[in-house]
Amino acid sequence: MSSSPIDAPAAPASSLAPRLIAEGLGTFLLVAAAMGTALFASSHFTDPGAQGSVYLAVALAVGLSVLVGVYAFGPISGGHFNPAVTLGAAAAGRIAWRDAGPYIVAQCVGGVVASTVLTLIGTFGPDGWLPRAQDAGFASNGWGALSPGGFGVWAAIIAEVVFTALFLFVILGVTHPTRGTPFAGVAIGLTLTLGVLATLPIDNASLNPARSLATAIYGGIAPLAQLWVFLIFPILGALIAGFTYRALFDQPNPATQA
């Protein structure tokens, strides 16, 4: 199904350059929409200690941006927009390992450009808005004092591994070359929405190292010091899911070999 995101074993016909541009644009869309909603729609993510939240709005922004991104760019690049998804797809045999590095670079560049644009917008905001947003972490991921609910580092590690793995299991299932569905983008977007809703109170919901990097570089020393968790553990969860899915569900069925 050429319209499904995530490369099937037969990779998209596009050369590498258009695929990298598509990945960069898709990641830009994700970070700009999701983090823009978090930063501009409420003071919850910009003022330390502010009351109230826009968790549902942020989760929907993440899910909707991925949903539209995979239909717009999925036929070109596979629609990953996330280094963890790329590495999980490689572990599952859906993309060549040699392409994983360039994909990840393109995703990180797209995310950083998006957060830079958000910062530029913030410089023309109300007096003191940008310093307050940066003092509050600029919607970055974190634990302890940076956790909305005060959760510790192990809570963040477990959440990132488990929910990223679940996300990958859904992706690999709905985009399977023979068992997939043309509604894969909808399933992926809704799954990510649910994952973000569950993890926002824990660590501001990463599940995506490119998203975490993009905001941490403008969030100050504390988010940068904690960034390693959100680079390593979403990738670990994705790799677990990719290798496990391939071992469990992509082996030849002996009943069909007779």
Side-chain angles (χ1 to χ4, degrees), residues 128-156:
W129 183 92
L130 184 58
R132 290 197 305 273
Q134 292 178 315
D135 287 344
F138 209 69
S140 298
N141 301 111
W143 69 85
L146 300 183
S147 164
F151 289 85
V153 62
W154 281 105

PDB file of all heavy atoms in Angstrom, residues 128-156:
ATOM      1  N   GLY A 128       8.613  40.161  28.338  1.00  0.00           N
ATOM      2  CA  GLY A 128       9.039  39.133  29.268  1.00  0.00           C
ATOM      3  C   GLY A 128       8.544  37.742  28.962  1.00  0.00           C
ATOM      4  O   GLY A 128       8.868  36.794  29.686  1.00  0.00           O
ATOM      5  N   TRP A 129       7.777  37.554  27.874  1.00  0.00           N
ATOM      6  CA  TRP A 129       7.208  36.229  27.596  1.00  0.00           C
ATOM      7  C   TRP A 129       8.300  35.195  27.351  1.00  0.00           C
ATOM      8  O   TRP A 129       8.279  34.116  27.932  1.00  0.00           O
ATOM      9  CB  TRP A 129       6.278  36.276  26.388  1.00  0.00           C
ATOM     10  CG  TRP A 129       5.619  34.955  26.119  1.00  0.00           C
ATOM     11  CD1 TRP A 129       4.412  34.533  26.599  1.00  0.00           C
ATOM     12  CD2 TRP A 129       6.136  33.869  25.336  1.00  0.00           C
ATOM     13  NE1 TRP A 129       4.151  33.250  26.161  1.00  0.00           N
ATOM     14  CE2 TRP A 129       5.197  32.816  25.389  1.00  0.00           C
ATOM     15  CE3 TRP A 129       7.315  33.677  24.600  1.00  0.00           C
ATOM     16  CZ2 TRP A 129       5.389  31.603  24.728  1.00  0.00           C
ATOM     17  CZ3 TRP A 129       7.509  32.466  23.945  1.00  0.00           C
ATOM     18  CH2 TRP A 129       6.556  31.448  24.014  1.00  0.00           C
ATOM     19  N   LEU A 130       9.250  35.507  26.484  1.00  0.00           N
ATOM     20  CA  LEU A 130      10.273  34.520  26.132  1.00  0.00           C
ATOM     21  C   LEU A 130      11.144  34.134  27.324  1.00  0.00           C
ATOM     22  O   LEU A 130      11.364  32.934  27.560  1.00  0.00           O
ATOM     23  CB  LEU A 130      11.130  35.026  24.976  1.00  0.00           C
ATOM     24  CG  LEU A 130      12.174  34.034  24.444  1.00  0.00           C
ATOM     25  CD1 LEU A 130      11.509  32.746  23.976  1.00  0.00           C
ATOM     26  CD2 LEU A 130      12.979  34.659  23.306  1.00  0.00           C
ATOM     27  N   PRO A 131      11.656  35.082  28.119  1.00  0.00           N
ATOM     28  CA  PRO A 131      12.421  34.652  29.301  1.00  0.00           C
ATOM     29  C   PRO A 131      11.601  33.780  30.254  1.00  0.00           C
ATOM     30  O   PRO A 131      12.140  32.832  30.838  1.00  0.00           O
ATOM     31  CB  PRO A 131      12.824  35.980  29.951  1.00  0.00           C
ATOM     32  CG  PRO A 131      12.814  36.967  28.851  1.00  0.00           C
ATOM     33  CD  PRO A 131      11.698  36.550  27.948  1.00  0.00           C
ATOM     34  N   ARG A 132      10.311  34.102  30.437  1.00  0.00           N
ATOM     35  CA  ARG A 132       9.475  33.275  31.314  1.00  0.00           C
ATOM     36  C   ARG A 132       9.320  31.873  30.741  1.00  0.00           C
ATOM     37  O   ARG A 132       9.370  30.879  31.471  1.00  0.00           O
ATOM     38  CB  ARG A 132       8.108  33.919  31.512  1.00  0.00           C
ATOM     39  CG  ARG A 132       8.107  35.179  32.352  1.00  0.00           C
ATOM     40  CD  ARG A 132       6.703  35.527  32.838  1.00  0.00           C
ATOM     41  NE  ARG A 132       5.745  35.648  31.743  1.00  0.00           N
ATOM     42  CZ  ARG A 132       5.528  36.760  31.068  1.00  0.00           C
ATOM     43  NH1 ARG A 132       6.225  37.864  31.350  1.00  0.00           N
ATOM     44  NH2 ARG A 132       4.629  36.804  30.103  1.00  0.00           N
ATOM     45  N   ALA A 133       9.116  31.792  29.431  1.00  0.00           N
ATOM     46  CA  ALA A 133       8.959  30.476  28.796  1.00  0.00           C
ATOM     47  C   ALA A 133      10.232  29.652  28.948  1.00  0.00           C
ATOM     48  O   ALA A 133      10.175  28.441  29.214  1.00  0.00           O
ATOM     49  CB  ALA A 133       8.600  30.645  27.322  1.00  0.00           C
ATOM     50  N   GLN A 134      11.373  30.289  28.790  1.00  0.00           N
ATOM     51  CA  GLN A 134      12.636  29.566  28.913  1.00  0.00           C
ATOM     52  C   GLN A 134      12.932  29.193  30.361  1.00  0.00           C
ATOM     53  O   GLN A 134      13.456  28.116  30.636  1.00  0.00           O
ATOM     54  CB  GLN A 134      13.756  30.395  28.301  1.00  0.00           C
ATOM     55  CG  GLN A 134      13.610  30.525  26.787  1.00  0.00           C
ATOM     56  CD  GLN A 134      14.682  31.387  26.153  1.00  0.00           C
ATOM     57  OE1 GLN A 134      15.010  32.460  26.652  1.00  0.00           O
ATOM     58  NE2 GLN A 134      15.235  30.921  25.047  1.00  0.00           N
ATOM     59  N   ASP A 135      12.566  30.062  31.285  1.00  0.00           N
ATOM     60  CA  ASP A 135      12.739  29.730  32.702  1.00  0.00           C
ATOM     61  C   ASP A 135      11.883  28.522  33.086  1.00  0.00           C
ATOM     62  O   ASP A 135      12.254  27.761  33.985  1.00  0.00           O
ATOM     63  CB  ASP A 135      12.367  30.923  33.586  1.00  0.00           C
ATOM     64  CG  ASP A 135      13.402  32.032  33.532  1.00  0.00           C
ATOM     65  OD1 ASP A 135      14.531  31.767  33.067  1.00  0.00           O
ATOM     66  OD2 ASP A 135      13.067  33.170  33.941  1.00  0.00           O
ATOM     67  N   ALA A 136      10.741  28.373  32.420  1.00  0.00           N
ATOM     68  CA  ALA A 136       9.849  27.243  32.698  1.00  0.00           C
ATOM     69  C   ALA A 136      10.246  25.992  31.928  1.00  0.00           C
ATOM     70  O   ALA A 136       9.574  24.962  32.035  1.00  0.00           O
ATOM     71  CB  ALA A 136       8.408  27.624  32.360  1.00  0.00           C
ATOM     72  N   GLY A 137      11.330  26.059  31.140  1.00  0.00           N
ATOM     73  CA  GLY A 137      11.811  24.894  30.407  1.00  0.00           C
ATOM     74  C   GLY A 137      11.421  24.831  28.966  1.00  0.00           C
ATOM     75  O   GLY A 137      11.775  23.884  28.257  1.00  0.00           O
ATOM     76  N   PHE A 138      10.650  25.786  28.464  1.00  0.00           N
ATOM     77  CA  PHE A 138      10.278  25.852  27.047  1.00  0.00           C
ATOM     78  C   PHE A 138       9.597  24.560  26.587  1.00  0.00           C
ATOM     79  O   PHE A 138       9.878  24.026  25.517  1.00  0.00           O
ATOM     80  CB  PHE A 138      11.510  26.148  26.192  1.00  0.00           C
ATOM     81  CG  PHE A 138      11.188  26.907  24.923  1.00  0.00           C
ATOM     82  CD1 PHE A 138      10.775  28.232  24.976  1.00  0.00           C
ATOM     83  CD2 PHE A 138      11.289  26.308  23.686  1.00  0.00           C
ATOM     84  CE1 PHE A 138      10.480  28.930  23.809  1.00  0.00           C
ATOM     85  CE2 PHE A 138      11.008  26.989  22.516  1.00  0.00           C
ATOM     86  CZ  PHE A 138      10.596  28.311  22.568  1.00  0.00           C
ATOM     87  N   ALA A 139       8.686  24.041  27.424  1.00  0.00           N
ATOM     88  CA  ALA A 139       7.935  22.814  27.122  1.00  0.00           C
ATOM     89  C   ALA A 139       8.852  21.608  26.928  1.00  0.00           C
ATOM     90  O   ALA A 139       8.506  20.663  26.218  1.00  0.00           O
ATOM     91  CB  ALA A 139       7.026  22.999  25.907  1.00  0.00           C
ATOM     92  N   SER A 140      10.024  21.644  27.560  1.00  0.00           N
ATOM     93  CA  SER A 140      10.963  20.524  27.436  1.00  0.00           C
ATOM     94  C   SER A 140      10.535  19.363  28.315  1.00  0.00           C
ATOM     95  O   SER A 140       9.709  19.508  29.223  1.00  0.00           O
ATOM     96  CB  SER A 140      12.371  20.977  27.841  1.00  0.00           C
ATOM     97  OG  SER A 140      12.842  21.998  26.990  1.00  0.00           O
ATOM     98  N   ASN A 141      11.128  18.225  28.050  1.00  0.00           N
ATOM     99  CA  ASN A 141      10.884  17.041  28.869  1.00  0.00           C
ATOM    100  C   ASN A 141      11.755  17.071  30.105  1.00  0.00           C
ATOM    101  O   ASN A 141      12.831  17.672  30.116  1.00  0.00           O
ATOM    102  CB  ASN A 141      11.180  15.773  28.060  1.00  0.00           C
ATOM    103  CG  ASN A 141      10.331  15.684  26.813  1.00  0.00           C
ATOM    104  OD1 ASN A 141      10.837  15.801  25.706  1.00  0.00           O
ATOM    105  ND2 ASN A 141       9.040  15.503  26.989  1.00  0.00           N
ATOM    106  N   GLY A 142      11.296  16.395  31.160  1.00  0.00           N
ATOM    107  CA  GLY A 142      12.107  16.325  32.357  1.00  0.00           C
ATOM    108  C   GLY A 142      11.421  15.570  33.472  1.00  0.00           C
ATOM    109  O   GLY A 142      10.249  15.200  33.372  1.00  0.00           O
ATOM    110  N   TRP A 143      12.187  15.323  34.519  1.00  0.00           N
ATOM    111  CA  TRP A 143      11.659  14.634  35.698  1.00  0.00           C
ATOM    112  C   TRP A 143      11.975  15.487  36.927  1.00  0.00           C
ATOM    113  O   TRP A 143      12.609  16.534  36.823  1.00  0.00           O
ATOM    114  CB  TRP A 143      12.258  13.235  35.821  1.00  0.00           C
ATOM    115  CG  TRP A 143      13.721  13.226  36.162  1.00  0.00           C
ATOM    116  CD1 TRP A 143      14.283  13.298  37.399  1.00  0.00           C
ATOM    117  CD2 TRP A 143      14.825  13.136  35.242  1.00  0.00           C
ATOM    118  NE1 TRP A 143      15.660  13.266  37.315  1.00  0.00           N
ATOM    119  CE2 TRP A 143      16.018  13.163  36.001  1.00  0.00           C
ATOM    120  CE3 TRP A 143      14.908  13.037  33.850  1.00  0.00           C
ATOM    121  CZ2 TRP A 143      17.275  13.093  35.415  1.00  0.00           C
ATOM    122  CZ3 TRP A 143      16.162  12.970  33.270  1.00  0.00           C
ATOM    123  CH2 TRP A 143      17.325  12.992  34.040  1.00  0.00           C
ATOM    124  N   GLY A 144      11.517  15.030  38.076  1.00  0.00           N
ATOM    125  CA  GLY A 144      11.781  15.781  39.300  1.00  0.00           C
ATOM    126  C   GLY A 144      11.137  17.157  39.239  1.00  0.00           C
ATOM    127  O   GLY A 144       9.937  17.289  39.015  1.00  0.00           O
ATOM    128  N   ALA A 145      11.942  18.181  39.408  1.00  0.00           N
ATOM    129  CA  ALA A 145      11.419  19.548  39.390  1.00  0.00           C
ATOM    130  C   ALA A 145      10.849  19.930  38.031  1.00  0.00           C
ATOM    131  O   ALA A 145      10.015  20.835  37.929  1.00  0.00           O
ATOM    132  CB  ALA A 145      12.522  20.535  39.779  1.00  0.00           C
ATOM    133  N   LEU A 146      11.268  19.245  36.965  1.00  0.00           N
ATOM    134  CA  LEU A 146      10.773  19.543  35.618  1.00  0.00           C
ATOM    135  C   LEU A 146       9.556  18.711  35.240  1.00  0.00           C
ATOM    136  O   LEU A 146       8.994  18.906  34.165  1.00  0.00           O
ATOM    137  CB  LEU A 146      11.886  19.317  34.591  1.00  0.00           C
ATOM    138  CG  LEU A 146      13.147  20.154  34.747  1.00  0.00           C
ATOM    139  CD1 LEU A 146      14.126  19.862  33.623  1.00  0.00           C
ATOM    140  CD2 LEU A 146      12.808  21.638  34.780  1.00  0.00           C
ATOM    141  N   SER A 147       9.163  17.787  36.089  1.00  0.00           N
ATOM    142  CA  SER A 147       7.989  16.956  35.837  1.00  0.00           C
ATOM    143  C   SER A 147       6.726  17.680  36.281  1.00  0.00           C
ATOM    144  O   SER A 147       6.659  18.162  37.417  1.00  0.00           O
ATOM    145  CB  SER A 147       8.100  15.630  36.585  1.00  0.00           C
ATOM    146  OG  SER A 147       6.848  14.969  36.652  1.00  0.00           O
ATOM    147  N   PRO A 148       5.700  17.775  35.431  1.00  0.00           N
ATOM    148  CA  PRO A 148       4.455  18.424  35.855  1.00  0.00           C
ATOM    149  C   PRO A 148       3.851  17.792  37.106  1.00  0.00           C
ATOM    150  O   PRO A 148       3.276  18.489  37.935  1.00  0.00           O
ATOM    151  CB  PRO A 148       3.531  18.243  34.646  1.00  0.00           C
ATOM    152  CG  PRO A 148       4.454  18.132  33.485  1.00  0.00           C
ATOM    153  CD  PRO A 148       5.650  17.390  34.006  1.00  0.00           C
ATOM    154  N   GLY A 149       3.997  16.471  37.252  1.00  0.00           N
ATOM    155  CA  GLY A 149       3.440  15.785  38.403  1.00  0.00           C
ATOM    156  C   GLY A 149       4.452  15.436  39.476  1.00  0.00           C
ATOM    157  O   GLY A 149       4.116  14.745  40.446  1.00  0.00           O
ATOM    158  N   GLY A 150       5.701  15.871  39.303  1.00  0.00           N
ATOM    159  CA  GLY A 150       6.733  15.588  40.286  1.00  0.00           C
ATOM    160  C   GLY A 150       7.275  14.172  40.239  1.00  0.00           C
ATOM    161  O   GLY A 150       7.827  13.681  41.227  1.00  0.00           O
ATOM    162  N   PHE A 151       7.173  13.496  39.104  1.00  0.00           N
ATOM    163  CA  PHE A 151       7.641  12.118  38.980  1.00  0.00           C
ATOM    164  C   PHE A 151       9.166  12.079  38.850  1.00  0.00           C
ATOM    165  O   PHE A 151       9.781  12.998  38.304  1.00  0.00           O
ATOM    166  CB  PHE A 151       6.999  11.443  37.761  1.00  0.00           C
ATOM    167  CG  PHE A 151       5.536  11.158  37.930  1.00  0.00           C
ATOM    168  CD1 PHE A 151       4.578  12.122  37.658  1.00  0.00           C
ATOM    169  CD2 PHE A 151       5.108   9.914  38.370  1.00  0.00           C
ATOM    170  CE1 PHE A 151       3.235  11.862  37.818  1.00  0.00           C
ATOM    171  CE2 PHE A 151       3.759   9.633  38.536  1.00  0.00           C
ATOM    172  CZ  PHE A 151       2.819  10.619  38.265  1.00  0.00           C
ATOM    173  N   GLY A 152       9.755  10.974  39.300  1.00  0.00           N
ATOM    174  CA  GLY A 152      11.196  10.817  39.292  1.00  0.00           C
ATOM    175  C   GLY A 152      11.728  10.256  37.994  1.00  0.00           C
ATOM    176  O   GLY A 152      10.978   9.922  37.071  1.00  0.00           O
ATOM    177  N   VAL A 153      13.051  10.106  37.948  1.00  0.00           N
ATOM    178  CA  VAL A 153      13.706   9.684  36.716  1.00  0.00           C
ATOM    179  C   VAL A 153      13.270   8.299  36.281  1.00  0.00           C
ATOM    180  O   VAL A 153      13.087   8.046  35.084  1.00  0.00           O
ATOM    181  CB  VAL A 153      15.247   9.762  36.870  1.00  0.00           C
ATOM    182  CG1 VAL A 153      15.747   8.837  37.963  1.00  0.00           C
ATOM    183  CG2 VAL A 153      15.942   9.451  35.545  1.00  0.00           C
ATOM    184  N   TRP A 154      13.074   7.370  37.233  1.00  0.00           N
ATOM    185  CA  TRP A 154      12.686   6.025  36.828  1.00  0.00           C
ATOM    186  C   TRP A 154      11.277   5.986  36.251  1.00  0.00           C
ATOM    187  O   TRP A 154      10.985   5.185  35.354  1.00  0.00           O
ATOM    188  CB  TRP A 154      12.833   5.045  37.992  1.00  0.00           C
ATOM    189  CG  TRP A 154      14.251   4.640  38.188  1.00  0.00           C
ATOM    190  CD1 TRP A 154      15.110   5.042  39.162  1.00  0.00           C
ATOM    191  CD2 TRP A 154      15.003   3.768  37.335  1.00  0.00           C
ATOM    192  NE1 TRP A 154      16.349   4.487  38.986  1.00  0.00           N
ATOM    193  CE2 TRP A 154      16.322   3.699  37.867  1.00  0.00           C
ATOM    194  CE3 TRP A 154      14.717   3.054  36.181  1.00  0.00           C
ATOM    195  CZ2 TRP A 154      17.322   2.920  37.280  1.00  0.00           C
ATOM    196  CZ3 TRP A 154      15.715   2.290  35.583  1.00  0.00           C
ATOM    197  CH2 TRP A 154      16.995   2.231  36.136  1.00  0.00           C
ATOM    198  N   ALA A 155      10.409   6.852  36.734  1.00  0.00           N
ATOM    199  CA  ALA A 155       9.073   6.950  36.143  1.00  0.00           C
ATOM    200  C   ALA A 155       9.183   7.403  34.689  1.00  0.00           C
ATOM    201  O   ALA A 155       8.498   6.864  33.797  1.00  0.00           O
ATOM    202  CB  ALA A 155       8.209   7.918  36.940  1.00  0.00           C
ATOM    203  N   ALA A 156      10.044   8.390  34.423  1.00  0.00           N
ATOM    204  CA  ALA A 156      10.228   8.873  33.053  1.00  0.00           C
ATOM    205  C   ALA A 156      10.821   7.788  32.170  1.00  0.00           C
ATOM    206  O   ALA A 156      10.385   7.588  31.025  1.00  0.00           O
ATOM    207  CB  ALA A 156      11.122  10.113  33.060  1.00  0.00           C
TER     208      ALA A 156
END
